[in-house]
Amino acid sequence: ELKVEQNPLFLSMQEGKNYTIYCNYSTTSDRLYWYRQDPGKSLESLFVLLSNGAVKQEGRLMASLDTKARLSTLHITAAVHDLSATYFCAALAGNEKLTFGTGTRLTIIP
Amino acid sequence: EPEVTQTPSHQVTQMGQEVILRCVPISNHLYFYWYRQILGQKVEFLVSFYNNEISEKSEIFDDQFSVERPDGSNFTLKIRSTKLEDSAMYFCASGALRWLATGELFFGEGSRLTVL
């Protein structure tokens, strides 16, 4: 059974700093997703990584995928307060369903 | 832009009551999913639905749960006799035939269920 782990679970960082959230998954996965969730809200799709070595960037966020290491990272550059949210990664295995990670609650401190 | 819509946005019910959560997937999508998220926890898979039948269900999706496409457009999740631990946010998601290749899965805004 596919398991997806994220770390850290909680992250408090100052504005302007850089940090990385890690997502490990236990078995071969065809796709890796990153979502953002604001409190009480739905899941906003950030990135879909479709192959080994894939890198995608949007603003201050950059996601990458290493399928051999079964690892994806979400890198935050020069954090701003608006990025405060919970970030989830999710992996897709051959059974056509997404398995979500535990989530990383990110708080950006001015 | 097409979107997945869910109703109600919030429902409060007494334990033991039946609840139906409704989802209108994006037109022409063929894959449908229900996920739930207990407050502060991760998003958990409940059930997937394709070609008008359940393709996979999780251990959470026991006999108290059922899904239907009553009119070919709506996609409903029914909980027959709610328990306190069913309190959660329930998300519907839909994907087109090629969503597995494109990666595009669309989530609704969620229905918050509170069981008292």
Side-chain angles (χ1 to χ4, degrees):
Chain A
E1 182 185 336
L2 176 61
K3 293 191 189 311
V4 181
E5 298 286 341
Q6 284 178 240
N7 71 85
L9 298 183
F10 298 94
L11 177 56
S12 182
M13 53 190 291
Q14 285 187 311
E15 278 190 326
K17 299 290 188 183
N18 305 333
Y19 211 85
T20 301
I21 300 171
Y22 297 89
C23 175
N24 291 91
Y25 51 96
S26 60
T27 63
T28 302
S29 177
D30 303 320
R31 306 280 184 269
L32 199 292
Y33 297 73
W34 284 96
Y35 290 91
R36 169 185 171 141
Q37 186 181 41
D38 292 301
K41 301 293 186 182
S42 186
L43 298 161
E44 176 190 351
S45 179
L46 294 175
F47 302 108
V48 180
L49 302 168
L50 300 177
S51 60
N52 185 42
V55 177
K56 289 195 174 179
Q57 183 162 6
E58 181 75 33
R60 300 174 187 275
L61 301 178
M62 183 175 72
S64 65
L65 177 62
D66 181 344
T67 57
K68 293 177 182 175
R70 297 178 186 161
L71 170 69
S72 180
T73 60
L74 181 66
H75 187 73
I76 302 146
T77 302
V80 294
H81 179 69
D82 287 352
L83 292 179
S84 295
T86 298
Y87 292 85
F88 289 96
C89 66
L92 179 70
N95 54 3
E96 303 175 354
K97 73 178 192 205
L98 289 182
T99 299
F100 282 81
T102 44
T104 297
R105 187 174 297 178
L106 174 64
T107 304
I108 309 295
I109 303 167
Chain B
E1 185 177 324
E3 58 182 18
V4 177
T5 57
Q6 291 185 240
T7 55
S9 56
H10 189 193
Q11 181 158 356
V12 181
T13 190
Q14 295 290 325
M15 190 169 56
Q17 295 296 303
E18 176 183 283
V19 161
I20 297 177
L21 305 179
R22 293 181 170 81
C23 170
V24 180
I26 295 172
S27 179
N28 296 326
H29 279 191
L30 298 177
Y31 289 86
F32 311 112
Y33 301 84
W34 283 102
Y35 285 83
R36 80 170 187 191
Q37 185 182 31
I38 295 171
L39 185 64
Q41 299 187 23
K42 71 175 181 179
V43 180
E44 301 174 290
F45 168 76
L46 289 179
V47 64
S48 57
F49 195 86
Y50 173 73
N51 201 25
N52 289 323
E53 59 183 32
I54 291 174
S55 47
E56 187 171 349
K57 55 186 180 180
S58 72
E59 292 178 353
I60 303 167
F61 195 89
D62 61 21
D63 291 345
Q64 293 300 313
F65 290 87
S66 62
V67 288
E68 279 188 341
R69 284 197 81 196
D71 56 11
S73 60
N74 293 295
F75 180 50
T76 63
L77 175 69
K78 182 193 290 187
I79 309 174
R80 260 181 276 281
S81 177
T82 50
K83 303 187 282 285
L84 294 176
E85 53 264 37
D86 292 328
S87 295
M89 181 77 94
Y90 289 81
F91 292 107
C92 172
S94 75
L97 182 63
R98 295 193 70 248
W99 92 264
L100 295 171
T102 64
E104 291 182 320
L105 185 67
F106 297 84
F107 281 84
E109 291 292 309
S111 292
R112 181 172 297 284
L113 175 65
T114 302
V115 182
L116 303 177

